[in-house]
Amino acid sequence: MATLLYRLGRVAFRWRWFVTLLWVAVLGAVGFAAAKAPAAPDDGFTMPGIESQRAFDLLEQRFPGTAADGANARIVFVAPNGEKVTATENRAAIEKLVTEAADGSQVASAVDPFAAKAVSKDASTAYSTVTFKVKADDLTDAAKTHLERAIDTAKKAGLTVEVGGDALATQPAAGGSAEAIGIAIAAVVLLITFGSLAAAGLPLLTAILGVGISMSAVLALGSAFGLSETTGTLATMLGLACGIDYALFVVSRYREEREKGHAPREAAGLAAGTAGSAVVFAGLTVVIALAGLSVVGIPMLTKMGLAAAGAVLLSVLISLTLVPAVLGFWPNAVLSRRERKGKAKRGNGENGGSRWARLVVRRPIPVLLLGVVGLGAMALPALNLQLGMPGDEAKSTATTERRAYDDLAKGFGPGFNGPLTIVVDAKKADDAKSTVATISKEIAATDGVVSVSPARFNSAGDTAVFSATPATSPTDEKTKELVQTIRDERSGIASDAGASFEVTGTTALNIDVAQKVQDALIPYLALVVGLAIVLLLLVFRSLLVPLKAALGFLLSVLAALGAVVAVFQQGHGASLLGVDQTGPIMSLMPIFLVGIVFGLAMDYEVFLVSRMREAYVHGDGPGQAIVSGFRHSARVVVAAALIMMAVFSGFIGAGASMIKMIGFGLAIAVLFDAFVVRMAIVPAVLSLLGNKAWYLPSWLDRILPRMDVEGEALSRKVPAPVTDPPTARLTPVP
């Protein structure tokens, strides 16, 4: 492996014009294909294998067009204190709004709340539903403005008017200024790490090129494979993150080889052969984690994972070819100013990384206990994890959607915002209407159900749908228990009525998704961790190092999940992050944490421990190998972790609670894994294990193929570095 990549790096350096133009041509070709490709399809969230999805599919089949209605706006009216919406002036203002809203160019219907009996018992609150002919993304500005003017007229009449639904929903920024600050911090970290603008800019440049190619590919293949722009969101984030990381390690190793006295082309080859080998295996661990998302069973998540895996593979290829090629154009520019002036220190002197490693090697037990106990304490809140899908209740009170949610809950009860949709299949029943009436009556008598709506039949008269309003809010655990109770009673109710029914709706769908994701988490963990252990076994040729790496990851990801629960579910420090409402953790959050953080954690593991393994193979003792590994790679690993934390932290400034949650979870996970697990627990464990850390049974050693990540073969083939002073080596490259 090392020899092959060494040759690839030298070839890319020598044929830099060809390699660079080739990548530019690829970008141009893929970009042209993306521009000419048909428009990407709308996102469709489906979850095969759950009851809510089966019921939704039945609705689409028996009620054509109903399940895919256009945008809607639920307009909530609240009378002034002491008044009622049924008062003459208030009623006139509401009816005027409904009439004006119905005249909109894209409006399908506007329901009069008084005719539909959509008025609370105390007459303080009413609501009207305005349905459009098109989806929210297709609404024209004129249609939105028409509705907003009608709402303003009702407000001037003295009513409090708030709007829910997706027609006029505010779209919070992904990160805003905080994300820009995160990217700026990443640039500063690169500059401080390398002390050179060229060295800091090279990883950013190549990473952006890779993201451009991967996103263009997603757009070009969108129509053929059902990919949308949203599919590429994860690909963009990880393509940028891994692209910077991988180029960072190659450039850092190139500078190190130049410092040793190697000529530029030789240094590029050695960087590709050693750091490049680590990049290949680190990239493969990320790909395993992302491709493994397919086991969850969510088509959208599978597409996102595969697209992101492709972006990571692209980042690996770019770091192995384009980075050495660009180094060929400016071989001296990436060196620090001191190195260019010939004032840089040569040799293996002490630095912060080696000093920290010596401290850990001398005191491994206290460091290990402190790290494990600390992360264990952080993981405790994860025992109370509640999964769900936060809706309008998790938005800021500054949004009209949140205020509309609160007004409806106050006027009609907390369960009004999350009704359960009951779909009755009465195709085999002798009397469909009486059968549906029996089922409706039984469900209405269930504890926890406040009311049921009149049933609505399809044109064939063999299928009916009605809603059941729970007594508790959509995210309450009692609502989850109610859904399960209704389903458990189904066999008895169905046998008596002669028909079957299923429970769906947004609330039931969120409950089913949370349960399916929770059930898939263990198989997913077993898959990615198992495959990664095999891969790391090939890389490090050790039984204990891969096992230690996997256990360390589990500890860091559990601690990160515990921190997310503590803030977003239990509310500790939530105000500091601008979280307005605590609640269940987003259903996909554990999967995202496991998949993304596992890939990044194994990146740091491979880059850090491979330098220790390299030193050990070249003759250092176990303790000295740890110190040598930290001397050469600790600073770069810290820089990579800080960059990731800065980028992920940018999402904390987003307006949506779910985006805040993802940003916080990923940032805190990188903090725990890079600085506690990899920089403290890993050297402490390796120090305690000594030579046993690198033990591999002889029979297994014979079976496993040799990857030579450490570049052992290169030490025998590559000529010794020149001994001229640094200034003599700063010459143009032919």
Side-chain angles (χ1 to χ4, degrees):
M1 173 68 75
T3 303
L4 175 64
L5 295 180
Y6 164 76
R7 293 171 180 168
L8 179 62
R10 284 174 56 88
V11 168
F13 188 97
R14 176 68 180 85
W15 298 95
R16 45 193 174 274
W17 278 108
F18 175 78
V19 173
T20 303
L21 291 176
L22 180 61
W23 278 111
V24 172
V26 170
L27 176 62
V30 178
F32 178 79
K36 295 297 183 179
D42 292 331
D43 283 328
F45 184 87
T46 59
M47 177 72 86
I50 61 174
E51 178 172 326
S52 298
Q53 185 65 50
R54 292 196 301 269
F56 185 83
D57 294 342
L58 182 62
L59 275 177
E60 283 192 320
Q61 178 185 350
R62 303 285 177 87
F63 292 83
T66 301
D69 283 340
N72 69 85
R74 176 173 281 185
I75 306 174
V76 184
F77 308 94
V78 180
N81 292 334
E83 297 185 19
K84 297 182 178 182
V85 292
T86 52
T88 303
E89 293 183 358
N90 293 333
R91 179 166 184 159
I94 293 173
E95 291 177 339
K96 181 180 179 181
L97 183 150
V98 173
T99 302
E100 291 181 0
D103 291 336
S105 58
Q106 294 180 304
V107 174
S109 64
V111 179
D112 185 338
F114 304 104
K117 298 181 180 180
V119 180
S120 62
K121 291 182 180 179
D122 61 1
S124 65
T125 310
Y127 68 92
S128 170
T129 301
V130 179
T131 305
F132 292 84
K133 300 175 183 178
V134 297
K135 295 183 178 181
D137 291 340
D138 298 324
L139 285 176
T140 63
D141 292 337
K144 294 180 181 180
T145 302
H146 179 84
L147 180 58
E148 289 169 348
R149 287 176 179 172
I151 292 171
D152 290 338
T153 302
K155 288 181 178 179
K156 292 177 181 178
L159 291 167
T160 297
V161 185
E162 305 295 349
V163 186
D166 59 353
L168 301 181
T170 55
Q171 299 297 328
S177 59
E179 187 176 354
I181 293 173
I183 296 175
I185 292 174
V188 171
V189 170
L190 282 171
L191 185 58
I192 293 174
T193 301
F194 288 130
S196 164
L197 285 173
L202 177 56
L204 290 173
L205 177 65
T206 54
I208 290 172
L209 176 70
V211 169
I213 295 175
S214 58
M215 282 305 298
S216 297
V218 168
L219 294 176
L221 300 173
S223 178
F225 293 96
L227 307 178
S228 68
E229 292 186 24
T230 306
T231 306
T233 302
L234 188 59
T236 300
M237 182 171 62
L238 287 184
L240 186 62
C242 293
I244 293 174
D245 267 10
Y246 298 161
L248 172 68
F249 283 103
V250 173
V251 172
S252 177
R253 189 59 183 255
Y254 170 82
R255 284 160 53 102
E256 183 182 326
E257 297 300 334
R258 288 295 305 276
E259 183 182 344
K260 292 178 180 179
H262 285 290
R265 185 180 177 187
E266 201 65 40
L270 288 170
T274 52
S277 297
V279 163
V280 169
F281 285 99
L284 286 177
T285 60
V286 181
V287 169
I288 287 172
L290 294 171
L293 290 172
S294 58
V295 305
V296 180
I298 304 176
M300 181 190 72
L301 196 59
T302 299
K303 294 175 184 178
M304 290 179 68
L306 293 177
V312 172
L313 284 176
L314 195 62
S315 298
V316 172
L317 291 175
I318 287 176
S319 68
L320 296 176
T321 56
L322 184 59
V323 170
V326 176
L327 288 173
F329 289 111
W330 301 282
N332 302 328
V334 297
L335 305 180
S336 68
R337 181 176 299 179
R338 293 178 61 86
E339 290 173 328
R340 291 196 298 270
K341 291 182 178 181
K343 297 179 180 180
K345 295 181 180 179
R346 306 271 310 265
N348 295 326
E350 290 287 309
N351 58 24
S354 61
R355 285 190 288 269
W356 167 253
R358 290 189 190 280
L359 173 63
V360 176
V361 170
R362 286 197 302 265
R363 300 285 187 272
I365 295 179
V367 172
L368 179 60
L369 291 178
L370 186 62
V372 172
V373 172
L375 291 181
M378 290 298 301
L380 287 177
L383 296 174
N384 299 318
L385 173 66
Q386 295 179 6
L387 296 179
M389 190 62 70
D392 287 344
E393 78 281 358
K395 293 184 177 181
S396 168
T397 52
T399 63
T400 185
E401 296 93 343
R402 169 63 186 277
R403 295 194 295 269
Y405 180 97
D406 292 342
D407 289 340
L408 287 172
K410 183 178 179 181
F412 296 90
F416 185 82
N417 286 294
L420 307 177
T421 301
I422 313 298
V423 183
V424 183
D425 184 359
K427 202 167 187 177
K428 298 180 180 179
D430 296 332
D431 187 345
K433 290 188 176 181
S434 63
T435 296
V436 172
T438 300
I439 293 175
S440 178
K441 183 179 179 181
E442 292 286 347
I443 292 178
T446 304
D447 290 339
V449 174
V450 174
S451 62
V452 296
S453 67
R456 179 167 61 91
F457 284 83
N458 64 342
S459 57
D462 58 7
T463 308
V465 58
F466 62 90
S467 61
T469 303
T472 50
S473 67
T475 57
D476 195 303
E477 278 294 302
K478 292 183 179 178
T479 304
K480 179 180 178 180
E481 295 172 2
L482 174 62
V483 171
Q484 190 59 49
T485 298
I486 293 175
R487 288 171 173 172
D488 290 342
E489 295 175 348
R490 175 167 40 209
S491 57
I493 297 175
S495 61
D496 294 340
S500 63
F501 67 86
E502 291 179 321
V503 183
T504 187
T506 302
T507 300
L509 177 64
N510 290 339
I511 292 171
D512 289 349
V513 169
Q515 187 60 50
K516 181 163 186 177
V517 170
Q518 191 171 339
D519 293 341
L521 188 57
I522 299 301
Y524 176 63
L525 265 175
L527 175 67
V528 298
V529 173
L531 290 177
I533 286 177
V534 173
L535 192 62
L536 294 178
L537 183 65
L538 295 175
V539 174
F540 298 124
R541 305 193 71 79
S542 163
L543 290 177
L544 297 179
V545 170
L547 183 60
K548 174 266 308 170
L551 293 177
F553 155 72
L554 292 175
L555 189 59
S556 61
V557 80
L558 287 174
L561 191 58
V564 170
V565 171
V567 174
F568 291 89
Q569 182 176 307
Q570 299 175 348
H572 302 297
S575 60
L576 298 177
L577 301 181
V579 179
D580 295 281
Q581 181 69 35
T582 58
I585 303 304
M586 183 180 66
S587 299
L588 299 180
M589 188 65 195
I591 291 289
F592 273 123
L593 266 184
V594 170
I596 298 174
V597 177
F598 181 81
L600 296 177
M602 293 304 104
D603 275 2
Y604 304 140
E605 176 76 13
V606 170
F607 288 126
L608 188 61
V609 181
S610 64
R611 292 308 297 266
M612 300 179 193
R613 170 75 179 175
E614 181 178 343
Y616 183 79
V617 168
H618 291 164
D620 283 356
Q624 184 58 41
I626 295 172
V627 175
S628 297
F630 267 75
R631 177 188 299 115
H632 293 297
S633 58
R635 184 178 67 164
V636 183
V637 169
V638 167
L642 289 176
I643 290 170
M644 293 303 99
M645 289 175 61
V647 173
F648 292 146
S649 295
F651 291 95
I652 299 176
S657 177
M658 287 188 294
I659 300 178
K660 285 180 183 289
M661 189 184 301
I662 292 174
F664 174 80
L666 294 178
I668 201 72
V670 171
L671 172 66
F672 289 156
D673 195 89
F675 291 98
V676 181
V677 175
R678 308 303 154 190
M679 303 296 289
I681 294 178
V682 165
V685 171
L686 292 178
S687 177
L688 291 172
L689 290 175
N691 287 312
K692 295 179 181 177
W694 309 108
Y695 170 73
L696 185 69
S698 56
W699 63 268
L700 186 57
D701 184 51
R702 290 191 299 270
I703 295 174
L704 294 178
R706 292 192 175 275
M707 300 289 103
D708 190 22
V709 178
E710 304 84 11
E712 185 178 1
L714 295 180
S715 64
R716 299 189 296 267
K717 296 181 180 181
V718 176
V722 298
T723 57
D724 296 329
T727 51
R729 293 179 280 112
L730 301 181
T731 55
V733 178

